[in-house]
Amino acid sequence: DDHATVRDALRLLLETKGNFDVVADVADGEAALDAARAFEPDVALLEVAIPRLLAATHAIKQQVPKVAVVALTRHSEPVYLQELLAAGASGYVLKQSSFDVLLNAITAAASGDRFVDPAIGAYSGTCESDVTPAVRAAASDREISVLRLAAAGKSTKDIATTLKIAVKTVEVHKANAMRKLELQHREDLVRFAV
């Protein structure tokens, strides 16, 4: 984080409430990469502007692959989540969430698991690793995104707004995906999404 006060507060919370050892705190993505190379921590917690966050995440995963990256951001838009997961992030936490959510993300990442903030957890992206090859062959990324959002209880209008597409397009994607994946009822749709 580029604010020293925020870094100091996070360090204090992580070391006392989280029981973690903080080996370094830095002000930007380039310094985060340098620290990751120097200390090889279990987890790197990054809060920088999205373009630099993507670049830093990708660079850390390329150069020090054992380091799990947790993104701390104010952006809840699915596109940012998808891009960061594709860049190699293990966790995605909203700044407006509680500190316990951040602790859960760091713990999950340190254990080799992926964690998405529950506030946006209904959307899990459509990264290659999230969808089996058989499903990928049957349905497009957009169709899978529509199905996941529908299974999460989003209305057709909400899905259209989230994905920035027309309501009619949402209906077509949903119908096509359900046909391709041989899903008949809403229960099938929920089971698929889970």
Side-chain angles (χ1 to χ4, degrees):
D1 192 289
D2 59 351
H3 297 95
T5 304
V6 173
R7 290 196 314 273
D8 290 344
L10 281 171
R11 175 186 284 273
L12 181 64
L13 285 167
L14 288 168
E15 290 181 338
T16 56
K17 190 173 180 186
N19 205 22
F20 293 107
D21 292 322
V22 178
V23 296
D25 67 80
V26 297
D28 61 52
E30 188 175 319
L33 175 59
D34 292 341
R37 285 193 299 241
F39 296 102
E40 296 188 8
D42 295 318
V43 178
L45 175 62
L46 302 180
E47 195 293 317
V48 292
I50 284 292
R52 289 179 297 160
L53 178 55
L54 286 167
T57 299
H58 185 71
I60 288 171
K61 293 309 292 180
Q62 287 280 18
Q63 296 182 35
V64 199
K66 78 173 209 96
V67 177
V69 175
V70 174
L72 179 62
T73 178
R74 63 180 176 81
H75 298 284
S76 60
E77 296 86 352
V79 66
Y80 296 124
L81 168 62
Q82 183 177 352
E83 288 177 359
L84 277 160
L85 294 178
S90 298
Y92 193 91
V93 179
L94 297 176
K95 291 176 91 172
Q96 49 273 43
S97 293
S98 72
F99 185 69
D100 288 335
V101 172
L102 180 59
L103 288 180
N104 290 339
I106 293 170
T107 302
S111 300
D113 295 325
R114 181 178 279 178
F115 182 95
V116 175
D117 193 310
I120 53 174
Y123 180 87
S124 59
T126 55
C127 300
E128 291 291 330
S129 60
D130 289 343
V131 181
T132 65
V135 169
R136 177 148 320 279
S140 71
D141 286 346
R142 184 63 71 165
E143 290 167 345
I144 292 168
S145 295
V146 167
L147 286 186
R148 285 185 169 160
L149 290 167
K154 299 280 186 185
S155 70
T156 301
K157 185 178 177 184
D158 289 340
I159 295 170
T161 301
T162 300
L163 298 178
K164 297 179 175 70
I165 57 178
V167 169
K168 185 68 176 168
T169 305
V170 170
E171 292 168 353
V172 170
H173 283 321
K174 184 177 176 185
N176 286 342
M178 289 187 74
R179 178 183 45 78
K180 290 176 182 179
L181 299 171
E182 299 176 1
L183 304 175
Q184 303 296 320
H185 307 286
R186 179 158 173 76
E187 297 81 33
D188 298 331
L189 175 60
V190 172
R191 227 177 283 116
F192 164 79
V194 170

